[in-house]
Amino acid sequence: MFGFTSPSASIAWPKLDALPPLDLAATEALDHTRGQRNVYKFGGTSVGSPDRLFQLVSIVKAERPRIIAVVVSAMAKNTDLLLDAAALAAAGDIDKALLVIDRVEAITVTNANATQELILGANAAGIEDMTDEIRAFHVPLRQLLLGISLLREKTQAALDTILSFGERISATIVARLLTANGVPATYVDARTWVTTDATFGSAAVDFDTSKAKLLDLATAWSDKLPVITGFIGQSTCGRTTTLGRNGSDYTATIIGASLQADYVVINTDISGVMTADPRIVQSATSVCHLSHHEALELAIYGTRMFHTRTMLPLIKSGVTMLIRNTMDPQGGGTYISGVATIDKSVTCTTSLENLSLIEVRTRILQEGDRSELGYTNIGARVVQCLELHRVSIWLSIRAAHGQSISIVVPATQEALSLRAISDELKLEIERNEVDALNCESPVTMLSIVGEKLNKASTNGAKMFTALANVGIDVLAVGQGTSSRSLSCIIAGAKTKLAVRRVHDAFNVSTMVVNIVLLGCNRISLAVLDKLQEQAETYLQRHSLEFRIVGFGSRCVGFQFDVAGIAIESVRATITGCMTPPHLGSTPSYHHSPAATASALPSPAHLGEIHDLSCPVVVDCSGWANNGDLYAQCLANEIHVVVSNAASANALPATNTLTLSPRQRGDANPCFYLYNAALGASLPVLDTLANLIQTGDQLHRIDAALSGCLGFITDQVMQGYRLSAAVQNAWDKGYMEANPLVDLSGSDMQQKIKLFARALGVRIDLENIAVTPFVPVDVLDRVQWSNDTVEIDRLIAVLRDYDATFDATFVQPALFQGKRVRYVATVEMESEVRAKVEPLVVDEAHPAFRTQKDEIAVGFTTTEYNYRPLTLTGSGTGGSASATGVVRDILTIAKNLQGKM
């Protein structure tokens, strides 16, 4: 499809001259302190509190010699309060509306009087109480709201007048504060010179008329510094108008262009233009320099800090803008000038949300003008009818030969657009020459902006690969002749994820992986050790940085900090929670359900975790009831890694093997990985996935999947009695917190169920035949408790069973030259059959040569039918399991980087 962008049909965009050739020296020389004629603008947050107002006064006093005008916005919160008051008045609730104005007055009085106290210090006698003046100023506002409440009608014209009170009182107070601090200033109402049309809410400025009035007005200022209201103007018929969102910036650039300023300095609450919205992208950074045209593209494609017309006066006059932080005026910022950007590697990612995508499909071949046959171009008619209804068309895309056209419009104009198109094409729809209209809403226009962006063939691929890696469908693509932007349409629900991934693909050399760790045990400790010890390796080889942002345990509840929790702090917490599993000890693993719940992230936490870069919940707890948590994580686009088979089985099976979501064809872009739960450090599922992807067919699995029982059986073959071998396994921490899980075979049973899940086969636990490693009648003698593990009682019972076990398994194995192993068999024929049992195996079995705590997995396939493909390695202990966990985390991160 061919695409072109149309920012808005309601804005008359001038023809922009091409950028001059890159002038490196000119760009490096940008410095507002060298300017002799600068315009300073202060936003709502910069005038929203006494501290901020005092900072404003301090900045202006220090830099007064190079300031020719100051522009201010309404005080923070006041604009929203004025809108609330207008809505309440229109609803007929004048009492509540006036209470809101009381709040406006209270904020304004506090700011005015408290700032004077900061300025004058101990000289309290010089403070001028402005309370009565502020209240008198708002009397006409109260009268206007009363009129609205009587009429029950809130027109845009009336709303513009209401909003003007915010800027006017703000400028009045700032002028008085400057004068009180030794900077003579004069209040200037922008309505005396900003001349606009009568488009209330977003008026268009008559630049030439406004400039002439401003130049004439400036002669009366003398040595006083003008403090000018931003955002407002006056129509040719004398009505108050507003310039739209961020209109104060527009006012400032009009002044800068009219008075031939050197710089327009925008003082705000952020340190310049960011590579993405920092509320969405934690790793967003400020951009040192942009060209006027790049900034204009950003304004068009959704960056909230720019008025769509802000750049036009600057482009016309060549004036440079600086955007900096009011509270850090020496901290740099973003310069926006007429020179091309030096650093072409920096790309800004922006999103324009709450849009609707409307598709019109025709069955008539669109070959130019066919009016002689009674047809006119469908696409042209669709665009024309929408423009006639003053619909803002953000993107228009036509297929080859015009067989379809897709239009992107504001969601608020969706119904109007559908009616207009349906009316225009009524006859064609009735004749079945045009299909029923298709509409998708809400959608988002995701854009990347950078100098010479479309001159590099890899940029488009990089953008769409980043989206594909997280399973985000691109609904439409738009790129015009501009070399500075590329846009696509995506589902609105995927906006945050898309912005993060695309931003990272272009601007972040190091991806931050944000981990929430659950569980107090050796695996958790080992995961922390590996992340800390290998941090430099991960950074150098994979460009990855790992950050622990959450930790949960039954001992301390859930801890969360988006900025990160020190690994040493988490390690100390885990060490303090764990009870050494020595003889006679009572491990502190058993707690109430309430304690378990408090150890997990809440829905609110998941919302915050969702907003982080590459969020992963790593569950090493071993708790078997976390299925709901996993489901909530995946719904919130948070990846999940699980180290325990029972835990992994808590989530109903929906995926197979360890393929990426894209390879699985899964609509959910998140990974759910559990390699460590099956193979600890062994790449069991990865190997199996590779076999199956090549077309090989699996027939049988022979495996010894318990590292704990592998250690015990190796010990008994070396001459240890069974009870001594179990004691050694317990002392080394190889056993589960409850030894019954190992000795009864339930751990192996869970692993076989998980194996089947990975193969896309459902098998219930009761359908897996299990012969316990230690008979049930023996285990029952221990009198197991839900609250404690009586290891001493277990060892005593096993001593009575030692001779029987030796005679049944060990001696026959030694006599036949075989070995005792606890193994699982899965046959993949017409039906899946699985069993778990203690066996005496010969050297043909994959587990025959295992030593110490090793596990073994043998795959008999069509290709490996004479001797199984066998994997052997350490299968228990914190380090081995942690290796599998970290490998899963790396799989997720590298896939998102597009490296797998």
Side-chain angles (χ1 to χ4, degrees):
M1 295 184 110
F2 303 101
F4 65 92
T5 56
S6 174
S8 175
S10 62
I11 298 176
W13 297 94
K15 182 178 180 180
L16 303 179
D17 297 329
L19 278 176
L22 176 64
D23 186 344
L24 185 61
T27 304
E28 292 179 339
L30 293 175
D31 183 357
H32 80 286
T33 63
R34 299 179 183 178
Q36 300 301 309
R37 297 176 54 79
N38 295 349
V39 175
Y40 279 28
K41 180 263 178 177
F42 293 89
T45 55
S46 299
V47 294
S49 68
D51 288 341
R52 295 298 181 96
L53 280 166
F54 180 69
Q55 178 74 353
L56 179 157
V57 171
S58 301
I59 290 172
V60 173
K61 185 174 183 178
E63 304 182 21
R64 174 65 180 93
R66 55 177 172 269
I67 305 176
I68 60 174
V70 169
V71 178
V72 296
S73 299
M75 294 177 180
K77 297 183 181 179
N78 277 6
T79 296
D80 289 339
L81 289 173
L82 290 172
L83 289 170
D84 291 343
L88 289 168
D93 197 340
I94 187 59
D95 291 335
K96 285 187 178 179
L98 295 180
L99 286 175
V100 172
I101 301 305
D102 289 343
R103 289 181 60 193
V104 171
E105 290 180 352
I107 292 171
T108 308
V109 168
T110 298
N111 288 341
N113 294 340
T115 306
Q116 290 184 76
E117 294 177 8
L118 293 174
I119 292 172
L120 298 174
N123 186 17
I127 296 175
E128 178 186 2
D129 188 349
M130 298 182 65
T131 303
D132 291 341
E133 183 178 348
I134 290 169
R135 288 176 177 168
F137 174 82
H138 288 98
V139 168
L141 173 59
R142 294 174 180 272
Q143 294 170 343
L144 176 56
L145 291 172
L146 177 60
I148 290 175
S149 71
L150 293 174
L151 295 173
R152 300 289 182 95
E153 182 180 359
K154 178 184 64 175
T155 65
Q156 187 61 55
L159 190 59
D160 279 6
T161 302
I162 290 171
L163 293 177
S164 74
F165 280 82
E167 267 69 21
R168 288 189 282 146
I169 193 61
S170 178
T172 299
I173 290 172
V174 169
R176 298 277 281 277
L177 293 174
L178 287 170
T179 301
N181 200 28
V183 180
T186 182
Y187 163 75
V188 178
D189 189 333
R191 295 178 298 177
T192 58
W193 64 274
V194 175
T195 303
T196 73
D197 65 7
T199 307
F200 298 102
S202 185
V205 176
D206 182 335
F207 182 80
D208 292 333
T209 301
S210 299
K211 177 180 178 180
K213 288 183 177 181
L214 179 64
L215 292 174
D216 183 58
L217 192 64
T219 60
W221 296 339
S222 185
D223 293 334
K224 290 186 177 181
L225 179 64
V227 179
I228 306 172
T229 57
F231 181 63
I232 63 175
Q234 189 174 75
S235 69
T236 52
C237 59
R239 302 287 298 277
T240 297
T241 58
T242 59
L243 307 184
R245 191 190 69 199
N246 294 322
S248 294
D249 289 356
Y250 187 25
T251 304
T253 60
I254 293 172
I255 296 170
S258 300
L259 300 182
Q260 297 180 329
D262 297 318
Y263 291 89
V264 173
V265 181
I266 306 295
N267 298 274
T268 183
D269 57 351
I270 58 174
S271 301
V273 179
M274 309 294 284
T275 51
D277 187 337
R279 294 172 298 181
I280 297 177
V281 180
Q282 192 180 29
S283 58
T285 58
S286 60
V287 181
C288 296
H289 178 264
L290 292 170
S291 70
H292 286 147
H293 291 68
E294 285 179 284
L296 179 58
E297 297 268 350
L298 286 172
I300 292 170
Y301 293 115
T303 296
R304 292 170 175 80
M305 68 183 307
F306 291 126
H307 188 291
T308 50
R309 302 188 186 97
T310 298
M311 290 301 125
L312 302 186
L314 301 182
I315 293 171
K316 186 173 183 178
S317 63
V319 174
T320 297
M321 174 188 281
L322 167 64
I323 300 176
R324 67 176 183 178
N325 194 319
T326 306
M327 302 309 290
D328 186 20
Q330 308 306 320
T334 302
Y335 282 96
I336 302 174
S337 73
V339 212
T341 303
I342 298 173
D343 187 358
K344 296 181 177 60
S345 65
V346 175
T347 303
C348 295
T349 305
T350 186
S351 58
L352 188 63
E353 302 167 30
N354 296 317
L355 304 175
S356 295
L357 175 64
I358 300 172
E359 184 182 30
V360 181
R361 288 186 172 274
T362 178
R363 301 171 186 177
I364 308 170
L365 186 63
Q366 304 290 293
E367 294 181 336
D369 185 5
R370 305 181 66 202
S371 55
E372 72 280 1
L373 300 177
Y375 297 117
T376 55
N377 188 278
I378 296 295
R381 289 169 59 192
V382 168
V383 172
Q384 289 168 6
C385 80
L386 292 180
E387 290 179 344
L388 183 64
H389 286 80
R390 300 184 65 82
V391 172
S392 297
I393 301 175
W394 286 101
L395 195 66
S396 172
I397 307 166
R398 302 186 195 185
H401 298 295
Q403 293 304 105
S404 70
I405 180 172
S406 296
I407 302 290
V408 178
V409 301
T412 54
Q413 294 184 305
E414 175 189 319
L416 171 61
S417 302
L418 291 172
R419 286 197 304 271
I421 296 172
S422 297
D423 291 343
E424 175 66 27
L425 303 179
K426 181 179 180 181
L427 292 178
E428 286 80 2
I429 294 173
E430 290 176 350
R431 294 197 296 253
N432 290 323
E433 295 169 353
V434 171
D435 293 339
L437 303 184
N438 182 43
C439 181
E440 185 162 349
S441 180
V443 298
T444 291
M445 183 161 70
L446 178 72
S447 304
I448 50 175
V449 176
E451 195 66 42
K452 305 292 183 183
L453 187 71
N454 70 358
K455 301 305 179 185
S457 59
T458 58
N459 285 332
K462 189 184 296 186
M463 178 180 185
F464 298 127
T465 298
L467 295 174
N469 283 341
V470 287
I472 296 178
D473 294 329
V474 175
L475 307 178
V477 178
Q479 183 172 29
T481 57
S482 165
S483 63
R484 302 180 188 92
S485 65
L486 173 63
S487 300
C488 67
I489 304 300
I490 60 170
K494 301 293 184 181
T495 300
K496 289 185 177 180
L497 179 63
V499 171
R500 293 189 197 106
R501 295 288 78 82
V502 171
H503 173 270
D504 289 351
F506 282 91
N507 296 289
V508 179
S509 58
T510 300
M511 175 183 284
V512 177
V513 180
N514 291 280
I515 295 173
V516 174
L517 181 64
L518 302 178
C520 275
N521 51 47
R522 286 180 172 81
I523 300 176
S524 300
L525 278 177
V527 168
L528 294 178
D529 290 340
K530 291 184 183 299
L531 294 180
Q532 191 170 43
E533 293 167 2
Q534 300 298 320
E536 190 62 29
T537 300
Y538 298 142
L539 185 63
Q540 297 298 326
R541 292 186 182 179
H542 308 299
S543 298
L544 293 173
E545 175 187 341
F546 295 95
R547 179 182 299 157
I548 305 297
V549 295
F551 173 70
S553 78
R554 289 167 171 164
C555 302
V556 297
F558 186 70
Q559 305 169 1
F560 180 67
D561 188 343
V562 293
I565 305 173
I567 284 182
E568 290 303 331
S569 173
V570 179
R571 180 183 284 109
T573 300
I574 295 175
T575 304
C577 285
M578 290 174 60
T579 300
H582 293 304
L583 183 64
S585 65
T586 302
S588 54
Y589 298 103
H590 301 285
H591 296 264
S592 67
T596 302
S598 68
L600 303 179
S602 67
H605 286 134
L606 294 180
E608 292 185 72
I609 296 166
H610 162 84
D611 289 341
L612 300 176
S613 168
C614 191
V616 185
V617 166
V618 177
D619 186 3
C620 301
S621 68
W623 305 331
N625 55 353
N626 283 351
D628 289 343
L629 171 65
Y630 304 153
Q632 292 173 32
C633 287
L634 297 177
N636 280 277
E637 296 169 346
I638 300 169
H639 309 282
V640 178
V641 172
V642 186
S643 70
N644 179 275
S647 299
N649 282 325
L651 182 71
T654 56
N655 59 334
T656 60
L657 298 175
T658 56
L659 307 180
S660 71
R662 180 178 51 178
Q663 291 170 316
R664 293 195 308 262
D666 195 340
N668 192 307
C670 294
F671 284 85
Y672 180 68
L673 300 183
Y674 40 83
N675 280 284
L678 272 178
S681 62
L682 295 184
V684 175
L685 294 182
D686 291 340
T687 302
L688 183 56
N690 290 334
L691 286 174
I692 293 176
Q693 286 183 78
T694 62
D696 202 355
Q697 185 173 354
L698 179 66
H699 299 295
R700 179 184 172 102
I701 299 171
D702 292 282
L705 294 172
S706 171
C708 165
L709 294 181
F711 174 82
I712 292 172
T713 54
D714 186 59
Q715 290 255 297
V716 297
M717 292 307 299
Q718 294 181 42
Y720 287 88
R721 307 293 279 179
L722 175 63
S723 58
V726 170
Q727 179 71 71
N728 292 339
W730 175 261
D731 291 342
K732 288 182 176 292
Y734 289 165
M735 304 195 79
E736 293 290 335
N738 184 345
L740 184 63
V741 173
D742 292 306
L743 302 179
S744 68
S746 65
D747 176 58
M748 283 271 278
Q749 187 182 32
Q750 289 281 359
K751 289 177 179 177
I752 293 304
K753 178 179 179 180
L754 195 59
F755 232 131
R757 172 203 183 106
L759 294 167
V761 177
R762 175 172 178 172
I763 182 169
D764 295 325
L765 291 176
E766 55 268 25
N767 293 327
I768 301 172
V770 176
T771 301
F773 183 72
V774 175
V776 173
D777 63 318
V778 176
L779 293 175
D780 284 346
R781 300 176 204 165
V782 179
Q783 298 177 344
W784 300 91
S785 169
N786 290 328
D787 298 320
T788 61
V789 177
E790 298 181 7
I791 190 66
D792 51 349
R793 175 66 178 162
L794 171 63
I795 299 303
V797 168
L798 290 178
R799 287 195 186 105
D800 295 338
Y801 177 64
D802 279 342
T804 303
F805 182 85
D806 184 70
T808 305
F809 295 103
V810 179
Q811 293 306 317
L814 291 173
F815 179 76
Q816 300 174 48
K818 299 179 180 181
R819 294 175 182 173
V820 179
R821 295 290 184 261
Y822 194 61
V823 300
T825 305
V826 181
E827 296 182 358
M828 307 286 295
E829 299 302 336
S830 57
E831 61 178 345
V832 178
R833 291 180 295 175
K835 59 183 177 179
V836 178
E837 59 188 334
L839 283 182
V840 173
V841 300
D842 59 22
E843 61 182 10
H845 195 281
F848 179 78
R849 292 181 175 81
T850 58
Q851 300 177 26
K852 297 184 179 179
D853 65 335
E854 288 182 339
I855 62 173
V857 181
F859 298 124
T860 300
T861 70
T862 301
E863 293 292 333
Y864 294 90
N865 59 358
Y866 173 68
R867 179 173 295 175
L869 172 63
T870 301
L871 300 175
T872 303
S874 179
T876 192
S879 181
S881 296
T883 297
V885 168
V886 173
R887 187 173 64 244
D888 281 350
I889 298 172
L890 287 172
T891 295
I892 294 168
K894 291 172 69 176
N895 194 280
L896 295 180
Q897 290 176 318
K899 295 180 180 179
M900 294 188 70

